[in-house]
Amino acid sequence: MTSQSSQASQTPQSPHTFQVDLRGLVDLLSHHLYSSPKVYLRELLQNAVDAITARRAEEPDAPARVRLFAEGAALRVEDSGVGLTESDVHSLLATIGRSSKRADGLQEVRSDFLGQFGIGLLACFVVAERIRVVSRSARTPDAAPVEWTATDDGSYTVRTLPDEARPEPGTTVHLIARPGAAEWLSHARVLSLARDFGSLLPYDVRVGEEAVTDLPAPWDRPYPSPATRRVALARHCHDLFGFTPLDAIELDVPLAGVRGVAYVLPSAVSPAQRVGHRVHLKGMLLTERAEQLLPEWAFFVRCVLDTDSLRPTASRESLYEDETLAAVREALGERIRGWLTGLAAGDPERLAAFLSVHYLGVKSLARHDKEMLRTMLPWLPFETTDGRLSLEEFAQRHPVVHFTRTVEEYRQVAPIASAQGVGVINGGYTYDSELVEALPSVRPGTMVAELDADTVTAHLDAPDPDEELALAGFLSAARAKLDPLGCDVVLRAFHPLSVPALHLDDRSSRHEQARAEAEEQADDLWAGILGSLRGSAPRARLVLNHLNPLIRRIGALRDPELIGTATESLYGQALLMAQRPLRPADSALLNRAFIGLLEWATHSETGSGEGGRP
């Protein structure tokens, strides 16, 4: 029993053939593989171009014509290509995925073909309910023309025809539109799609009598002068993409078989926004949404190019990610980087125009690319206490490059630091502090330091000890007034004289202030937890300018209440000058100080003659 079972299990089984539901396959093609029904025309053009390429491999002087005729709800496509025999029809048109590029003598030109005949023709069912192919072989001149007719239910017939049905070698494809798809086969739509897909094809392609191909490509045409070339490419960009570029960058990578142009966008875009590029494969438009063609940092250009080396995906609507694409991406990135370097070296006006729009993108690139940072160092603008300067210019002026991490910190210290001869860069804008910190990596010997309240205070002159001692009572009253706000009071002498007081703090003191406020508002449990987090961070400080006449007059006051009102007024004015957001306690202080000063002023006008308050 066991032996019989063993023998039965070893009996050879007859192979079975997969059964293909053509209607389901057409639905798969139209809804999942292809992005739009329009690709049917690209597949027809690809088959025609491949057939001509195959014939010319054996007959270099063979005609190279493709003609498309839109006839109502039907389309006829004729080519002068290699044609098919009856056996070719059975093996190629009825077999999905089989390449029409047979190995018999054509292996050496395989790289010149664009697609696969079977799957390409099948894609026509996306718009057609019936396909009829009439073909005559150039390889077998004595063979009769053959007709292959298929419908979208999956059935097909094959028969031979009289010689007059197709007297010359080549293939004619007839399409009958599916219900609701006739517009895709109209003359206007066919002409538009043919020009979009086939404008760079190397053969004579026409829709009726109207030319489709437009060679040479705009970037390969001779022009009388560089200015004329620039104008022509700008017009091409506008016609193709709908915008007039800031500039055009030549993309020529012979080793990768790439020729084209990158157009610089005229308006700023987000670095996170991926721009689609237009890629032709051996003259045929492959995609206009290629996102992986350029490095991520090159988001400020949009490309159109032709290549014979990149590999398409199965849908032939995008590029296959492989080593070749990676090498092309790197090479194109070098071309764009070289363009920037060339502008920096020889055309500062165009570079300035570019940076005025895309400086944020270039800064984003320079963060991770030392060569780009080194190249752009003399050109990228930064806000500084010396005006808008490049990092290179600023570093040449100042032995230590000080910077702040926030715009608020810069506004606090910029006027005072500038008066003391301390140069400061505003690093509060996007990427700026990172670039300043990276400066020593491309400019050896440069010292970079973050500017904080301690550094600013250290650059201010201390008053004469005797003078400060004489003001001890005033300073004590002022400190007592601001202590509840977490702010200390110090006396210094600094320029400009017009600034009576300066409010200085840093991130650590602001964090401590926020923690203290949260502790006051929390319940006992959270107050204990927040109290345990209390740090030793320095407090904010109100720096009074001993050189300012107003401070000297206020320092002579003896009335503690008036000293308090004046101190609160100086504190509020310093906060406003620093453009710091006001807390509720700060707003209440400003209101209280304003009312107090009004009371004092009106009392002085109508007072008791003793010069004091009641």
Side-chain angles (χ1 to χ4, degrees), residues 559-611:
D559 184 344
E561 188 174 350
L562 187 54
I563 290 175
T565 300
T567 302
E568 288 181 331
S569 300
L570 291 170
Y571 175 81
Q573 188 265 351
L575 282 180
L576 294 175
M577 289 297 293
Q579 301 184 42
R580 292 289 307 280
L582 300 179
R583 301 169 297 165
D586 298 329
S587 298
L589 176 145
L590 279 171
N591 184 62
R592 185 170 63 246
F594 178 71
I595 297 299
L597 288 176
L598 282 178
E599 289 180 352
W600 180 82
T602 54
H603 177 75
S604 297
E605 292 290 335
T606 61
S608 59
E610 298 177 356

Side-chain angles (χ1 to χ4, degrees), residues 12-26:
Q13 300 294 315
S14 299
H16 297 278
T17 303
F18 284 106
Q19 300 299 311
V20 177
D21 179 359
L22 190 56
R23 289 185 186 275
L25 186 57
V26 169

Side-chain angles (χ1 to χ4, degrees), residues 271-609:
Q273 179 179 337
R274 301 303 299 270
V275 177
H277 306 290
R278 190 177 174 92
V279 178
H280 296 257
L281 180 60
K282 304 180 182 71
M284 180 72 71
L285 177 65
L286 180 70
T287 178
E288 52 191 355
R289 299 190 305 273
E291 295 182 351
Q292 70 273 46
L293 184 66
L294 295 180
E296 290 186 3
W297 56 260
F299 58 85
F300 48 82
V301 298
R302 190 164 184 187
C303 296
V304 53
L305 55 82
D306 188 28
T307 175
D308 60 12
S309 64
L310 298 179
R311 178 182 170 191
T313 58
S315 66
R316 293 197 286 280
E317 292 190 289
S318 59
L319 298 172
Y320 189 82
E321 186 69 50
D322 57 12
E323 293 182 359
T324 302
L325 178 57
V328 168
R329 182 163 50 234
E330 182 178 352
L332 295 180
E334 285 299 320
R335 292 293 185 276
I336 297 172
R337 184 184 283 107
W339 169 78
L340 282 171
T341 304
L343 289 187
D347 201 338
E349 290 185 1
R350 286 168 67 195
L351 179 64
F354 167 75
L355 289 178
S356 68
V357 177
H358 295 294
Y359 67 92
L360 193 61
V362 175
K363 285 183 177 182
S364 174
L365 167 62
R367 290 182 303 152
H368 308 293
D369 189 323
K370 288 185 178 180
E371 286 304 314
M372 180 55 64
L373 177 59
R374 185 178 289 109
T375 300
M376 292 292 105
L377 208 57
W379 305 102
L380 286 174
F382 288 78
E383 182 180 358
T384 80
T385 50
D386 294 351
R388 288 190 68 80
L389 296 176
S390 69
L391 289 180
E392 178 67 26
E393 290 176 289
F394 190 85
Q396 290 175 355
R397 297 185 183 188
H398 300 277
V400 179
V401 177
H402 288 101
F403 73 98
T404 62
R405 290 192 182 276
T406 68
V407 175
E408 290 78 10
E409 291 173 351
Y410 178 79
R411 288 170 178 166
Q412 284 185 74
V413 304
I416 308 304
S418 179
Q420 309 306 311
V422 179
V424 185
I425 294 176
N426 185 356
Y429 297 114
T430 306
Y431 308 134
D432 283 7
S433 61
E434 296 176 71
L435 292 174
V436 175
E437 289 180 301
L439 188 56
S441 67
V442 296
R443 198 176 189 276
T446 302
M447 294 183 62
V448 173
E450 183 176 355
L451 190 67
D452 55 21
D454 288 335
T455 305
V456 175
T457 306
H459 279 81
L460 306 181
D461 296 330
D464 183 90
D466 293 337
E467 293 181 343
E468 187 168 9
L469 184 60
L471 295 173
F474 164 76
L475 293 175
S476 177
R479 286 166 182 153
K481 194 65 175 178
L482 296 186
D483 184 68
L485 297 174
C487 183
D488 199 2
V489 178
V490 297
L491 187 66
R492 292 289 186 271
F494 56 88
H495 292 274
L497 299 179
S498 58
V499 177
L502 176 67
H503 180 272
L504 293 177
D505 64 358
D506 53 26
R507 286 187 302 278
S508 58
S509 63
R510 289 196 294 273
H511 291 162
E512 174 62 19
Q513 190 177 62
R515 186 210 58 77
E517 291 176 356
E519 182 180 355
E520 291 178 1
Q521 300 172 7
D523 55 28
D524 292 341
L525 174 61
W526 282 108
I529 294 174
L530 292 170
S532 67
L533 299 177
R534 183 181 296 112
S536 58
R539 307 202 316 164
R541 68 207 76 169
L542 181 67
V543 184
L544 303 180
N545 187 0
H546 186 53
L547 301 180
N548 181 268
L550 177 61
I551 295 298
R552 287 181 175 273
R553 290 196 298 271
I554 293 175
L557 294 173
R558 294 293 179 263
D559 184 344
E561 188 174 350
L562 187 54
I563 290 175
T565 300
T567 302
E568 288 181 331
S569 300
L570 291 170
Y571 175 81
Q573 188 265 351
L575 282 180
L576 294 175
M577 289 297 293
Q579 301 184 42
R580 292 289 307 280
L582 300 179
R583 301 169 297 165
D586 298 329
S587 298
L589 176 145
L590 279 171
N591 184 62
R592 185 170 63 246
F594 178 71
I595 297 299
L597 288 176
L598 282 178
E599 289 180 352
W600 180 82
T602 54
H603 177 75
S604 297
E605 292 290 335
T606 61
S608 59

Side-chain angles (χ1 to χ4, degrees), residues 33 129 229 320 374:
L33 185 62
E129 65 176 2
R229 179 182 183 83
Y320 189 82
R374 185 178 289 109

Side-chain angles (χ1 to χ4, degrees), residues 203-247:
Y203 305 134
D204 178 17
V205 182
R206 296 176 182 272
V207 177
E209 297 300 321
E210 298 180 78
V212 167
T213 51
D214 186 20
L215 295 176
W219 51 84
D220 286 329
R221 295 173 189 170
Y223 296 97
S225 66
T228 305
R229 179 182 183 83
R230 190 175 298 120
V231 170
L233 290 178
R235 186 183 305 114
H236 173 249
C237 176
H238 188 273
D239 293 342
L240 199 61
F241 295 128
F243 66 85
T244 300
L246 287 178
D247 207 349

Side-chain angles (χ1 to χ4, degrees), residues 53-55 57-59 82-85 87-88 91-92 98-110 113 137-140:
T53 302
R55 184 177 181 185
E58 300 175 341
E59 304 175 48
V82 69
L84 301 171
T85 63
S87 62
D88 291 334
S91 62
L92 298 178
R98 179 78 58 82
S99 173
S100 66
K101 293 58 133 181
R102 297 185 302 171
D104 48 347
L106 297 183
Q107 186 67 37
E108 68 277 6
V109 295
R110 182 177 293 273
F113 298 115
S137 175
R139 293 197 190 101
T140 313

